[in-house]
Amino acid sequence: MERFKTVDSIVEAVRNVQQDDAQTYEQQTYRLAKIAENVVDYPVAEDDAFYALYESGQICDLDEGHAPYAPRYILPDYEKYLREGSAFLRIDPPETLLDATTALLVLYHHVPSITRFPVYIGALDALLEPFVKDTDPDTARSILKNFLLQIDRTVTDSFCHANIGPEETETGRMIIDLVGELQNPTPNLTFLYDEAVTPDAFAERAVAASLVCANPAFANDAYYKKDFGDVDYGIASCYNALPKHGGAFTLSRLRLNKIAEAAGSTETFFEKTLPFAIDTMLRFMEAKITYLVEETAFFRANFMVKEDLIDVDNFVGLFGIVGLHECVQTLLGYDEIPGTFGTDEAADAMGIRVMDYVEERVGAFTSRYSPVWNHKFMLHAQVGAAGDLGTTAAHRIQIGKEPDLYTHLRQAAKFQKYFPSGVGDHYPFDSTAKKNPGAVLDIFKGAFRLGNRYVSAYNEDGDLIRVTGYLVKKSDVEAFRRGDAVHYDTVQFALDPLTEYGVNKRQVEGV
């Protein structure tokens, strides 16, 4: 994150944004606002260790801004909103499906996030099913189609996320069919799947859609419910499991590979560089949360707080990691141990050792905030960002090193268990899968029985691709690469993963 030291540097940054042909007016406005925010210093002292670890790439703040003035991710209580309406927005409780979709679109406009758009738009099937039941099917389908179209054209960022399932509903069936028909990147969709609750035919319908438009992905609902207990959860942004009626204050991440490279030995990594980086990021995150809660107006004045659509006590801090694959290879190299992460037991054992250490040390930290999560930060398998060349997302196996599908799923389960706040692996399938969605569903069932939390599939030949957790169209990325403006913000984030990091070269699976 650029730290502006002079007025001239600010002016130059502003002009660069204003003169960028590949940005829409709306995108330029956002970037100009971010420049203004970053004139303010980070909420840590100038001599804090954070700065050195940031400059060396060991810690990344994911461009949240120096002085955030809204939470990173917000999951409003949409159920309460539809029951009671909003005095601030002058919205009465809806009586018809058209009323309900209109009311939701109004609220979406007022839900901020790190992307400035809502990253969670609700469990749409459960929210809208009562209204769909009272509407003629053809009319209901038409209203839902226009609702989804409006979201895609106005929430121009595919970190926008909706949930459906695990129960089968008419609304869920309509939405699944419509996402396949519309082929839109937004909203990103997660199917909350529970083998004991979800009918196979309904789940296969969702799989078939994912093999056409990479949407929806599948979450192991029973696993998440076990972790969250009495707390109602939703899947937001890429695949972030968070408390409803709350969300996430902030997300920062460690590049484990950079920390290992700085260590010089496995002993130094575990005894010095890793604990130092963890502790530094914990303090940094706590400082950002304190600034947001105590010094900005959001939790004092925002209408969602006043109308009890969100509660500060239901927000958490997300402690992210990336680069486990490269970290493990570096540590094995120090010890002259042969092996490759994902395929060799010694390598996976080293990865488990790293994650056990991270989990224990992060879990020992107590935050002043987040009573919903016992005043702890949640571990998060972060998906990647700019500057990640040579850094594999999260705990994942490096692209090009993947084993066969079933070995891959067994290996992923060893590591997905660490991340209650969000984790996922993505599997492209060849065209044969389209003919047999039931076989893909069986694979998903097996993955969940092994202990995986989240899996997704897409077709290797489709225009829509799941990059790291969000969706983009390959054609949009190519247009942006030519210098054309594209109205989806997310496209710019996908350029490097698709052209430099090899996301489109993932191992393709058959059934």
Side-chain angles (χ1 to χ4, degrees), residues 236-304:
S237 188
C238 281
Y239 46 49
N240 306 348
L242 292 167
K244 289 184 180 180
H245 202 73
F249 290 118
T250 186
L251 167 59
S252 296
R253 65 192 190 138
L254 297 180
R255 287 191 180 101
L256 293 172
N257 54 324
K258 299 292 185 182
I259 298 168
E261 291 167 8
S265 71
T266 300
E267 180 182 7
T268 301
F269 175 79
F270 283 106
E271 294 185 1
K272 294 183 180 180
T273 58
L274 181 58
F276 182 70
I278 291 172
D279 292 350
T280 300
M281 194 164 91
L282 288 169
R283 290 194 307 271
F284 172 69
M285 290 174 60
E286 185 76 353
K288 291 187 82 172
I289 295 169
T290 300
Y291 179 86
L292 171 62
V293 174
E294 299 183 6
E295 298 192 41
T296 76
F298 185 85
F299 285 106
R300 294 195 308 269
N302 189 273
F303 79 95
M304 288 186 290

Side-chain angles (χ1 to χ4, degrees), residues 16-31:
N16 286 341
V17 171
Q18 291 177 333
Q19 295 170 3
D20 189 346
D21 294 344
Q23 303 293 333
T24 66
Y25 172 78
E26 186 178 39
Q27 291 163 357
Q28 288 174 321
T29 301
Y30 168 67
R31 282 155 186 77

Side-chain angles (χ1 to χ4, degrees), residues 422-492:
V423 63
D425 287 88
H426 311 303
Y427 303 96
F429 282 83
D430 64 25
S431 58
T432 61
K434 289 183 179 181
K435 302 173 184 177
N436 196 354
V440 178
L441 177 61
D442 286 341
I443 291 168
F444 286 3
K445 288 179 181 179
F448 289 159
R449 291 169 188 167
L450 288 169
N452 284 280
R453 293 179 183 271
Y454 198 97
V455 294
S456 68
Y458 59 92
N459 184 264
E460 61 169 329
D461 296 326
D463 190 24
L464 273 165
I465 184 172
R466 193 167 289 276
V467 181
T468 53
Y470 59 90
L471 303 176
V472 298
K473 289 190 174 186
K474 297 173 188 175
S475 55
D476 284 338
V477 174
E478 188 55 37
F480 184 77
R481 190 179 186 182
R482 294 194 303 266
D484 298 338
V486 178
H487 84 283
Y488 298 107
D489 265 7
T490 332
V491 169
Q492 63 181 311

Side-chain angles (χ1 to χ4, degrees), residues 67-81:
Y69 48 98
R72 182 179 180 95
Y73 302 132
I74 298 175
L75 283 71
D77 189 340
Y78 291 113
E79 292 80 5
K80 176 182 171 65
Y81 173 69

Side-chain angles (χ1 to χ4, degrees), residues 1-5 10 33-44 46 51 61 65-69 291 295-296:
M1 177 67 69
E2 185 174 2
R3 301 174 69 200
F4 298 108
K5 295 297 186 182
I10 298 170
K34 188 60 70 176
I35 291 169
E37 180 184 348
N38 290 337
V39 172
V40 181
D41 290 332
Y42 281 110
V44 291
E46 279 292 323
Y51 294 102
D61 76 338
H66 295 185
Y69 48 98
Y291 179 86
E295 298 192 41
T296 76

Side-chain angles (χ1 to χ4, degrees), residues 275-338:
F276 182 70
I278 291 172
D279 292 350
T280 300
M281 194 164 91
L282 288 169
R283 290 194 307 271
F284 172 69
M285 290 174 60
E286 185 76 353
K288 291 187 82 172
I289 295 169
T290 300
Y291 179 86
L292 171 62
V293 174
E294 299 183 6
E295 298 192 41
T296 76
F298 185 85
F299 285 106
R300 294 195 308 269
N302 189 273
F303 79 95
M304 288 186 290
V305 177
K306 292 183 175 181
E307 297 187 1
D308 194 30
L309 298 178
I310 57 174
D311 187 327
V312 66
D313 288 345
N314 285 346
F315 283 80
V316 298
L318 302 185
F319 190 102
I321 63 97
V322 291
L324 181 62
H325 183 116
E326 292 81 6
C327 171
V328 166
Q329 298 306 133
T330 298
L331 297 177
L332 293 179
Y334 291 148
D335 296 340
E336 298 183 346
I337 297 173

